């Protein structure tokens, strides 16, 4: 008994540590669904984070409108010149501006898509610098299922709008869902090069770049090749646009051909995403 | 009352960290306000409070954002516990203490995180792990701890010995 009393605190600490380690071990595996506690906590906090996100957008909007006022005078003169220019090439310029707009991408995607898409807003990002995960404001109530592919509208070529891959849903609550993005270290995706149909696997890294290797060392790949998901393994939907090859490294000793990919979607500025549902 | 205030602070911290903090990162590094908060609570209230609120904040973060439950809970629990040993050992409370302990806590956090990820057989390159452990995040978290220290001074009012009427 004396022993118990003397080391009471240390024993409690070790006890908690062991329980936590067991929980980590249990939950690190692939799980079929989330536990009740997670569901309740997520459901309670999701509207809160949603509210703060809304407030943040308002506040940033307020400050940017203030700074806009200060810039107004110099901007005015610039704009006058701009208008003259615009009037002469009005139609062409509006056309180009509209095309580069994100909303245009979204609209065009909605027109041309063959999938059933549900729109969601990003309401929170995972704290910390190790992973790239975020939470969206739609969940099981909207028909989202675990493993669904998350996309965004991107312009693949001129006037050709398609789904650009963002990541996949890894956990679903009633009104929220966790999404792991493609640049996360843990996600790997099987791709194919659309020009030659060569396949390979790519994954994110800690420094938020997409790197991959080709199955075939002799494979024909050039900078600018477009990559699509191959659907192998059934993790991601087939034929979703990933991005372009920007760098090719061949290592003779290891007999591997690695590539660096520029993803089509801008992962730094994710506000609205689409989830593919069946 | 203090327990209630700390619980509110932990909740508020989690929400703010999920929504606002990711947008104020410098050089792509996002500060971890949880570490700063836990270190402060630990220094002020001792290892029992520190460890318990570390556990609470960590588990909340895990449930909300990560797939593996318990990693943050485990690390923040021990940050709170170890920092608590420094409770009441300083004769003067300066802003330097939270700065140093938050820095040490950050190193410990990133080290343990990479270690746990390694044992969960995630593919973590050694060089990247070292880079992440000794990153600018140490200074960043330290500065946030100092700012929080100045704010929390108002919550933790030290009772002083007084004789007679005020």
């Amino acid at each position: 008994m004396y022993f118990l009393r003397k080391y009471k605190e240390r024993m409690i600490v070790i006890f908690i540590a062991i329980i936590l380690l067991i929980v980590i071990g249990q939950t690190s595996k692939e799980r079929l669904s989330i536990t009740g506690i997670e569901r309740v906590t997520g459901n309670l906090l999701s509207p809160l984070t949603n509210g703060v996100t809304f407030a943040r957008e308002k506040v940033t909007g307020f400050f940017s409108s203030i700074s806009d006022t200060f810039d107004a005078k110099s901007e005015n003169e610039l704009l006058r010149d701009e208008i003259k220019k615009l009037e002469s090439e009005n139609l062409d310029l509006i056309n180009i501006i509209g095309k580069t707009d994100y909303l245009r991408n979204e609209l065009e995607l909605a027109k041309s898509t063959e999938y059933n898409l549900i729109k969601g807003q990003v309401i929170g990002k995972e704290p910390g610098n190790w992973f790239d995960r975020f939470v969206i404001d739609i969940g099981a109530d909207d028909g989202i299922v675990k493993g669904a592919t998350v996309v965004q509208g991107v312009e693949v070529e001129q006037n050709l709008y398609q789904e650009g891959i963002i990541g996949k849903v890894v956990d679903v609550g009633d009104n929220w869902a966790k999404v792991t993005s493609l640049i996360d270290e843990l996600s790997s995706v099987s791709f194919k090069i659309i020009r030659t149909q060569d396949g390979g696997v790519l994954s994110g890294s800690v420094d938020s770049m997409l790197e991959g290797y080709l199955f075939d060392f002799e494979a024909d790949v050039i900078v600018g090749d477009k990559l699509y998901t191959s659907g192998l393994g059934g993790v991601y939907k087939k034929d979703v646009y990933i991005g372009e090859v920007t760098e090719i490294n061949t290592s003779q000793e290891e007999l591997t051909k690695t590539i660096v990919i520029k993803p089509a979607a801008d992962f730094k500025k994710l506000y609205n995403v689409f989830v593919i549902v069946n | 009352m203090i327990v209630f205030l700390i619980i509110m602070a932990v909740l508020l911290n989690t929400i703010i960290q999920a929504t606002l903090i990711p947008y104020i990162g410098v050089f792509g590094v996002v500060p971890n306000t949880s570490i700063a908060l836990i270190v402060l609570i630990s220094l002020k209230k001792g290892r029992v409070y520190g460890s318990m609120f570390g556990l609470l904040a960590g588990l909340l973060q895990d449930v909300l954002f990560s797939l593996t439950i318990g990693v943050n809970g485990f690390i923040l629990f021990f940050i709170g516990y170890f920092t608590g040993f420094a409770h009441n050992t300083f004769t003067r409370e300066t802003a330097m203490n939270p700065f140093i302990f938050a820095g040490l806590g950050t190193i410990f956090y990133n080290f343990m995180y990479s270690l746990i990820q390694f044992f969960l057989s995630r593919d973590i390159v050694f060089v990247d792990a070292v880079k992440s452990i000794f990153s600018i995040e140490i200074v960043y978290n330290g500065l946030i701890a100092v700012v929080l220290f100045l704010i929390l001074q108002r919550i933790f009012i030290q009772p002083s010995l007084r004789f007679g009427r005020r």
Side-chain angles (χ1 to χ4, degrees):
Chain A
M1 276 295 115
Y2 168 74
F3 177 82
L4 275 181
R5 228 176 298 141
K6 191 181 175 191
Y7 296 110
K8 192 176 146 204
E9 189 188 297
R10 279 180 216 180
M11 284 174 75
I12 292 175
V13 168
I14 291 170
F15 182 68
I16 292 176
I18 289 173
I19 286 185
L20 282 175
L21 283 179
I22 292 172
V23 172
I24 292 173
Q26 283 298 319
T27 53
S28 68
K29 292 175 237 156
E30 275 284 311
R31 285 180 296 159
L32 282 178
S33 65
I34 53 174
T35 58
I37 303 172
E38 283 176 79
R39 181 179 291 271
V40 170
T41 328
N43 286 356
L44 282 179
L45 281 177
S46 168
L48 266 177
T49 44
N50 211 341
V52 177
T53 305
F54 178 74
R56 188 203 66 231
E57 280 168 3
K58 289 286 166 216
V59 169
T60 11
F62 175 69
F63 280 115
S64 60
S65 69
I66 287 183
S67 60
D68 283 353
T69 322
F70 285 114
D71 297 336
K73 207 172 178 186
S74 55
E75 212 175 302
N76 207 347
E77 287 168 16
L78 267 174
L79 281 175
R80 249 174 234 162
D81 295 350
E82 198 79 10
I83 286 170
K84 274 176 202 160
K85 244 194 251 169
L86 274 171
E87 273 169 348
S88 62
E89 340 170 84
N90 201 350
L91 273 173
D92 296 29
L93 269 176
I94 286 173
N95 203 7
I96 293 165
I97 292 167
K99 260 183 225 158
T100 51
D101 202 347
Y102 163 75
L103 288 172
R104 178 63 174 255
N105 284 356
E106 210 175 281
L107 183 73
E108 291 292 333
L109 178 68
K111 269 188 213 161
S112 65
T113 187
E114 54 200 49
Y115 296 110
N116 192 4
L117 300 177
I118 295 185
K119 190 176 172 182
Q121 200 194 357
V122 178
I123 54 170
K125 287 190 178 177
E126 188 189 13
N129 300 308
W130 285 88
F131 297 113
D132 274 287
R133 284 192 281 256
F134 54 88
V135 181
I136 53 177
D137 67 345
I138 46 177
D141 291 348
D142 306 276
I144 309 295
V145 290
K146 188 177 166 172
T149 306
V150 181
V151 295
Q152 196 178 41
V154 291
E155 191 176 10
V156 179
E157 268 166 40
Q158 270 212 321
N159 286 325
L160 177 61
Y161 296 89
Q162 278 185 347
E163 293 89 357
I165 195 156
I166 301 279
K168 64 170 187 245
V169 174
V170 286
D171 265 345
V172 188
D174 289 340
N175 54 357
W176 54 273
K178 283 180 205 169
V179 179
T180 308
S181 76
L182 199 63
I183 50 172
D184 191 294
E185 254 193 305
L186 297 183
S187 29
S188 303
V189 48
S190 162
F191 68 84
K192 65 179 180 208
I193 298 166
I194 200 73
R195 190 171 54 87
T196 59
Q197 298 291 315
D198 278 316
V201 171
L202 62 86
S203 59
S205 61
V206 176
D207 50 359
S208 299
M209 286 290 286
L210 277 178
E211 283 169 357
Y213 62 88
L214 290 149
F215 292 140
D216 184 8
F217 174 66
E218 302 283 322
D220 169 29
V221 55
I222 53 169
V223 170
D225 268 348
K226 292 189 184 339
L227 303 185
Y228 283 73
T229 55
S230 69
L232 284 179
V235 180
Y236 293 98
K237 273 263 183 300
K238 203 180 163 195
D239 292 333
V240 182
Y241 186 56
I242 301 172
E244 270 183 18
V245 177
T246 56
E247 207 181 309
I248 300 158
N249 300 312
T250 313
S251 156
Q252 286 290 349
E253 295 88 21
E254 294 172 23
L255 283 175
T256 52
K257 201 172 234 178
T258 56
I259 52 177
V260 178
I261 296 106
K262 179 175 177 289
D266 188 352
F267 287 94
K268 291 260 180 283
K269 293 172 193 160
L270 284 180
Y271 299 108
N272 289 321
V273 291
F274 291 98
V275 182
I276 299 180
V277 290
N278 295 322
Chain B
M1 186 61 193
I2 279 183
V3 173
F4 175 74
L5 278 178
I6 298 177
I7 287 179
M8 289 318 289
V10 168
L11 263 179
L12 197 69
N13 168 59
T14 312
I15 291 168
I16 287 181
Q17 199 174 30
T19 51
L20 300 182
I21 304 282
Y23 295 92
I24 60 163
V26 172
F27 306 125
V29 175
V30 179
N32 194 332
T33 50
S34 306
I35 295 177
L37 191 69
I38 300 306
V39 161
L40 279 172
I41 293 172
S42 235
L43 283 178
K44 286 280 191 184
K45 300 292 294 179
R47 55 179 182 272
V48 177
Y49 279 87
S51 55
M52 281 307 128
F53 284 105
L55 187 65
L56 186 75
L59 283 180
L60 198 64
Q61 229 175 73
D62 279 328
V63 167
L64 282 178
F65 299 106
S66 38
L67 303 176
T68 314
I69 309 297
V71 179
N72 279 310
F74 184 87
I75 303 169
L76 290 180
F77 172 72
F78 276 107
I79 288 179
Y81 186 70
F82 290 139
T83 315
F85 282 105
H87 173 55
N88 276 346
T89 52
F90 296 106
T91 45
R92 271 191 349 155
E93 286 201 345
T94 59
M96 204 60 205
N97 300 341
F99 182 81
I100 291 170
F101 279 102
L104 288 176
T106 310
I107 295 176
F108 178 77
Y109 178 89
N110 282 327
F111 173 71
M112 287 302 289
Y113 208 106
S114 50
L115 202 68
I116 291 175
Q117 294 302 330
F118 178 76
F119 280 114
L120 290 175
S121 63
R122 308 274 198 259
D123 185 21
I124 285 186
V125 187
F126 179 72
V127 181
D128 288 339
V130 171
K131 260 189 221 162
S132 296
I133 291 171
F134 297 102
S135 67
I136 194 155
E137 200 190 344
I138 298 168
V139 184
Y140 216 168
N141 287 346
L143 288 178
I144 281 183
V146 172
V147 174
L148 280 179
F149 172 78
L150 297 175
I151 298 170
L152 285 186
Q153 283 288 40
R154 294 163 189 275
I155 298 178
F156 299 102
I157 298 163
Q158 298 284 329
S160 58
L161 211 56
R162 286 205 181 88
F163 298 97
R165 285 188 191 165
R166 283 189 216 191

